[in-house]
Each structure stands twice: as C-alpha cells, then as structure tokens.
Amino acid sequence: MRLARRDRLPAFPQSLHHAGHAGAEAPASRSPSLAEVFDRFSKTQKYESGQTILIHGAPAERRYQVVSGTVRCCTFTEDGHRQIFRFVRTGDFFGFADFEEWHFTAEAVDEVVLRSIPYTIFEREAAADQRIAREVRRHVSDALATLERQLVMLSFLRAEERLLWFLTEQAGTCEDLVQLPMTRQDIGDHLGLSLETVSRAFSTLRRQGKIELHGSVRYRMLEPEGRALDAA
Amino acid sequence: MRLARRDRLPAFPQSLHHAGHAGAEAPASRSPSLAEVFDRFSKTQKYESGQTILIHGAPAERRYQVVSGTVRCCTFTEDGHRQIFRFVRTGDFFGFADFEEWHFTAEAVDEVVLRSIPYTIFEREAAADQRIAREVRRHVSDALATLERQLVMLSFLRAEERLLWFLTEQAGTCEDLVQLPMTRQDIGDHLGLSLETVSRAFSTLRRQGKIELHGSVRYRMLEPEGRALDAA
DNA sequence: CGCCTGGTTGAGCTGAATCAAGGGGTGTGG
DNA sequence: CCACACCCCTTGATTCAGCTCAACCAGGCG
C-alpha cells in the first residue's frame, strides 16, 4: 500500500498543508489580543545561532514570541538522536502548551530575537479577558493539529514527498524565493530522514522541476501543472 | 554522526515510556473535579464495535469519558490510509483539545459505553472552578506530550521496539495478563507498520521471551532481566 | 459444511540508512 | 594574498528493515 504516488499528497481535511499555524504570519490581525499582551509586558532577548533558549525539564515560567530569526523545538533521545517537532518563525508564538515543565528544548537556528512574558502575567490577563484565553486555547489546539499532521506525514510519505511537504509549508502560498536558515541535518531531524536522504531529495525535486534551487539555501516552489509562475 | 553529536543531556525525562496519560487509570483520584462534572451532568450512550462516535470536521460540541470499552481516535488520508493517534480506554477522557470542529474521527473498537457532556456546561464549570480549568489544561498538555512521544517512536524505533513500546503502554506497570481488543491492522495503523509486520513482531517478541502470548489477543509482559514474574 | 474474517508465515523487492569519498565556500593563519 | 582547515553539502555503493504479494491456518457463524 504505502502510498499510491499521487502528486497531491495525502491527508487531512483540507489537505495536509498549513491549516492553522496559530498566530503565525500576521499576528497583528490574527491574534490582536495576544500580541497586545506581548506589546505591553514582554522583555526582549537575543540569542546567537546554536544557543539554547530553554531546556527540556526546566520549569515552564515564560511564554515566547519570535521577533526575528528561527527557533527549533526538539527533544533528544537517549542514544543521541534528535527529533525536531517544529521550526518557529518570525511572528510565531511558542511555549503556551506546557504545564509545569518544558517538555521540549528550544534552540536558536540562526540569530534570534525573542520577546517573552512570565506565565503568571498571562494567567492574569487571560482571566481578565476571555478573548486572550480563547486565543491561547486556539493556539494550543493548532499545535496539536500540526503535530498530528506531522505524524501522518511520518507514517505515509516517502522521502521526496516529505521534503516537498516541508518546503511547501515553509513557503506558504506565495511563490517567492525562500531562504532556509537550517541545515540538511536539521531538516532531516524534522522529517525523520538522514541528511544524505534530504540532500538527495532536494536534487530529485530539482531534477523533476518541482523546485528551483539557488545554492543550497534558497529555493522557489514551481507549479506542478505547467501553469508557470512568471513568464506570461 | 546522526547520533553522538550531543554531549548534552540525553533523551526524554523518564525514557520514552508512559509519562502522563492524563486522568487515565484512576479518574477518581487523579482528576476528582473533572469526574465530578461528569457525574453530575453527563449523558450515557452505547456503541457497537466499529460504530462511529464522532467524525472529523463535525462541530465539536461535547466532551467525552469512556465508561467501558476502547475507542480509537484516527484520521484517514485521501488514499484510504488510516493513522490511529490514540486508543482511549476505560476511564480516559477525550475531545477536550478540539476547538470548533473535531480534527479526528472516533470509532468504537469493541463494545463501548461513553458518557458525555456539552462543552457549554464545561465552559461554565471551568469558569466557576479553577481546578477544573487546570485539570483540562493538564489533560490537553498531556495529550500533546503523548503525541510527541509517538512521533519520536515513529522516527526512531524499529518494528519490534515499536510493538514492545505499545504493549508496555497498554499493560502499564503491572504484569497481569492483558487483553487486546483491537486487531493487528489497528495496531499497525497506530505504530506505522503493516499488519504483517505487526504479526511478525509479535512472534519475534514471543520467541525472544519478552512476552507471553495466549492466543492472539491475550499477552503478558516478561521481565528482560531474568527476574521472573511468578515463581519464587 | 463451507464461508468469512483475522492471524501467521514465507519469498522477493525496494526505499532509505549507512559507509565512504569528494566538492565548495568561508574564515584564519602564515 | 594564498594555503589550509572546517563545515556543510552532494553523490556513489552497499546493506537491510519492512512492505507487498501470496499461501495457508484457525475460529465463528450461517
């Protein structure tokens, strides 16, 4: 069975691709109240590439928003493997689902600026304004749905399909040139593939005309249906 | 590479295996307030084996607790594949994380009795009693953590390890004879394996003396360290 | 009794991991 | 300014775990 090869990619109600993604791209319009709370109470902090932001098991005392850069949320297995659950990008929030301890580790992929607030303030604001509580709940619910999509992806997609799924999610709907801040190893640890397989999948997709590669970090999605992107 | 590369802390807090599992085995002691709300307001309903309880995309209007039997929570891909996220067992709750629509389908594995309450009542009770709100949040947080563990399992474990992980989780800590209500296909769809591989893994584990099989539905975990189970 | 569903087992195939070698860009030291 | 080193990426060869296909078996039921 495995997969009947459709170009379409499987699953989920409205395709596998980005369904919610919380207050991602446009926090100002998507989650006004949440962003407002950050505007008023947050403290800003900067991290160098590779630096640890928060660590699995430590008390979960703050909530975060990415101002710029990319964060990876991951865990490490006993034998040194790493699973990256999510890349958090500019505008995205993280750390809202955790209860008493962090159940993941967050690290800076490139140079990252974050703003954060103590969860106690959040509790207070959420109790005062029902909209904020709803916003948070929706955010957590989206995180769950995203994780479920990733799980389905790991179960049913093969290497090139996984990469295509990832690249599509990174690019969103637009067909602009996208820059990847993370390494092949990072992508592999996200998609459940070895770095070599990721590299091979990049080459295959390029050869198949599904993506356009500029060096190893910049790419553009190409429409599968001859329907071009620029030339009339 | 791949492994090694990390001098820092290993792995999951207490290994991969069961960490939270929400208000599972002992709802009375584990989540008194949550169970209380069910005691007071719930409606009980019965489902035959294979019957659909709730369907992906429908409005999420109720919250559920399993009184008896086993429920599978899953999604279906376009090409007919099924991913089972979770088997919900007696005493467990489900349906708390979803926002406006169900983002999964729930079906009865065997004969199932459920009790459920409208989410509006829950909202009201949670607003009135902070303990209930906390209970729900912890529950959702646990669901997220469980999903993350499953994801890691899918990424790194091989067939027999996956099955062992599953059987251990089903059995809990005790070494009693456990009965499996679900088919090999169900287990495969949960672990990301074909039913044949699941069957083979059962045989292998039995041959390795890690489990004891009675027919195809009953089993007992055996301690790996000669430390026997019954005989003094 | 035969059918049907679910489980087991075997044979062969294949996709991705692993092992291994080589390439390009950037930073550093001679 | 060039040389070397290091990191990341690419590509090739080989191996192997699990999927697929297929046959067979056991129990339940009409």
Side-chain angles (χ1 to χ4, degrees):
Chain A
M1 286 252 210
R2 196 72 176 144
L3 229 258
R5 180 81 37 224
R6 17 242 298 87
D7 278 358
R8 282 285 276 83
L9 280 243
F12 269 109
Q14 303 79 336
S15 108
L16 235 173
H17 307 286
H18 50 32
H21 235 326
E25 291 73 28
S29 73
R30 183 76 178 72
S31 52
S33 42
L34 212 62
E36 261 169 41
V37 179
F38 272 93
D39 287 342
R40 275 190 290 156
F41 300 108
S42 69
K43 167 182 111 180
T44 299
Q45 213 163 345
K46 191 175 151 183
Y47 298 85
E48 298 304 319
S49 167
Q51 234 183 309
T52 302
I53 294 161
L54 61 87
I55 201 163
H56 196 151
E61 299 171 328
R62 303 184 75 81
R63 314 273 108 129
Y64 297 85
Q65 185 181 25
V66 178
V67 176
S68 73
T70 301
V71 172
R72 55 173 181 252
C73 298
C74 50
T75 47
F76 298 89
T77 62
E78 289 166 355
D79 52 357
H81 287 266
R82 182 179 64 169
Q83 174 66 46
I84 297 178
F85 296 119
R86 180 185 174 202
F87 291 105
V88 194
R89 298 187 299 169
T90 302
D92 288 352
F93 303 94
F94 68 95
F96 282 85
D98 293 57
F99 207 56
E100 281 150 353
E101 298 184 348
W102 298 120
H103 59 274
F104 65 94
T105 293
E107 301 171 334
V109 171
D110 47 6
E111 193 165 284
V112 167
V113 178
L114 295 180
R115 52 184 194 170
S116 70
I117 50 183
Y119 86 98
T120 48
I121 290 186
F122 228 99
E123 299 274 292
R124 196 188 66 200
E125 296 298 310
D129 186 345
Q130 206 54 27
R131 285 182 311 158
I132 295 177
R134 275 177 62 91
E135 203 77 48
V136 171
R137 277 180 49 197
R138 176 184 291 281
H139 186 267
V140 172
S141 179
D142 280 349
L144 213 95
T146 301
L147 214 54
E148 289 184 355
R149 264 176 291 127
Q150 196 186 344
L151 208 133
V152 171
M153 184 272 295
L154 281 179
S155 276
F156 301 123
L157 269 47
R158 67 195 55 234
E160 291 105 42
E161 295 168 325
R162 293 188 196 187
L163 183 61
L164 202 58
W165 174 81
F166 172 72
L167 294 178
T168 306
E169 237 186 28
Q170 289 292 309
T173 50
C174 64
E175 285 138 349
D176 295 338
L177 213 57
V178 184
Q179 175 132 2
L180 294 171
M182 69 290 284
T183 67
R184 299 292 189 251
Q185 176 76 59
D186 286 332
I187 298 172
D189 289 348
H190 182 52
L191 302 180
L193 300 170
S194 69
L195 71 93
E196 294 96 330
T197 301
V198 172
S199 182
R200 269 185 257 270
F202 264 106
S203 302
T204 306
L205 291 179
R206 177 174 46 70
R207 237 176 288 122
Q208 294 176 340
K210 300 203 174 133
I211 60 168
E212 203 178 288
L213 268 176
H214 295 78
S216 64
V217 297
R218 247 179 279 268
Y219 73 95
R220 189 200 313 272
M221 302 300 300
L222 299 180
E223 285 302 318
E225 312 302 315
R227 213 209 63 178
L229 36 145
D230 42 356
Chain B
M1 15 228 83
R2 198 79 177 122
L3 46 150
R5 66 192 302 303
R6 242 343 117 123
D7 32 310
R8 231 194 1 343
L9 87 152
F12 268 104
Q14 303 78 338
S15 103
L16 237 171
H17 306 287
H18 50 33
H21 236 329
E25 291 72 28
S29 72
R30 182 78 179 72
S31 53
S33 42
L34 211 61
E36 261 169 42
V37 179
F38 272 93
D39 288 342
R40 274 190 293 154
F41 300 107
S42 69
K43 169 181 109 182
T44 298
Q45 212 163 346
K46 189 174 153 185
Y47 297 85
E48 298 305 319
S49 169
Q51 233 182 314
T52 302
I53 294 161
L54 61 87
I55 200 163
H56 197 152
E61 299 171 328
R62 303 183 75 83
R63 314 272 107 130
Y64 297 86
Q65 184 181 23
V66 178
V67 176
S68 72
T70 301
V71 173
R72 56 173 181 253
C73 298
C74 51
T75 49
F76 297 89
T77 63
E78 287 170 355
D79 51 358
H81 288 264
R82 181 179 63 168
Q83 173 66 46
I84 297 178
F85 296 119
R86 180 184 173 202
F87 291 106
V88 194
R89 299 186 300 169
T90 302
D92 288 352
F93 305 95
F94 69 96
F96 283 85
D98 292 58
F99 208 56
E100 281 150 350
E101 299 184 349
W102 298 120
H103 59 275
F104 65 95
T105 293
E107 301 171 334
V109 171
D110 46 8
E111 193 164 286
V112 167
V113 177
L114 295 180
R115 51 184 194 170
S116 69
I117 50 182
Y119 87 99
T120 47
I121 288 186
F122 228 99
E123 299 274 291
R124 197 187 65 201
E125 296 298 310
D129 187 345
Q130 206 54 27
R131 285 181 311 158
I132 295 176
R134 275 176 60 93
E135 204 76 48
V136 171
R137 277 180 49 198
R138 175 185 293 281
H139 187 266
V140 172
S141 179
D142 280 349
L144 213 95
T146 301
L147 214 55
E148 290 184 352
R149 263 177 292 127
Q150 196 187 345
L151 208 133
V152 171
M153 183 272 294
L154 280 179
S155 276
F156 300 123
L157 300 189
R158 68 190 56 208
E160 291 106 41
E161 296 169 323
R162 292 189 197 187
L163 183 60
L164 202 57
W165 173 81
F166 171 72
L167 294 178
T168 306
E169 236 185 30
Q170 288 292 309
T173 51
C174 63
E175 285 138 347
D176 295 337
L177 213 57
V178 184
Q179 175 131 1
L180 294 171
M182 69 290 284
T183 67
R184 300 292 190 250
Q185 177 75 58
D186 286 332
I187 298 173
D189 289 347
H190 182 51
L191 302 180
L193 298 170
S194 69
L195 71 95
E196 294 96 331
T197 300
V198 172
S199 182
R200 268 185 259 271
F202 264 107
S203 302
T204 305
L205 290 180
R206 177 174 47 71
R207 235 174 291 121
Q208 293 175 343
K210 301 205 174 129
I211 60 169
E212 204 178 286
L213 266 176
H214 296 78
S216 63
V217 297
R218 248 180 280 267
Y219 73 97
R220 190 201 312 273
M221 303 300 301
L222 299 180
E223 285 304 316
E225 310 306 311
R227 215 210 62 179
L229 34 145
D230 41 354

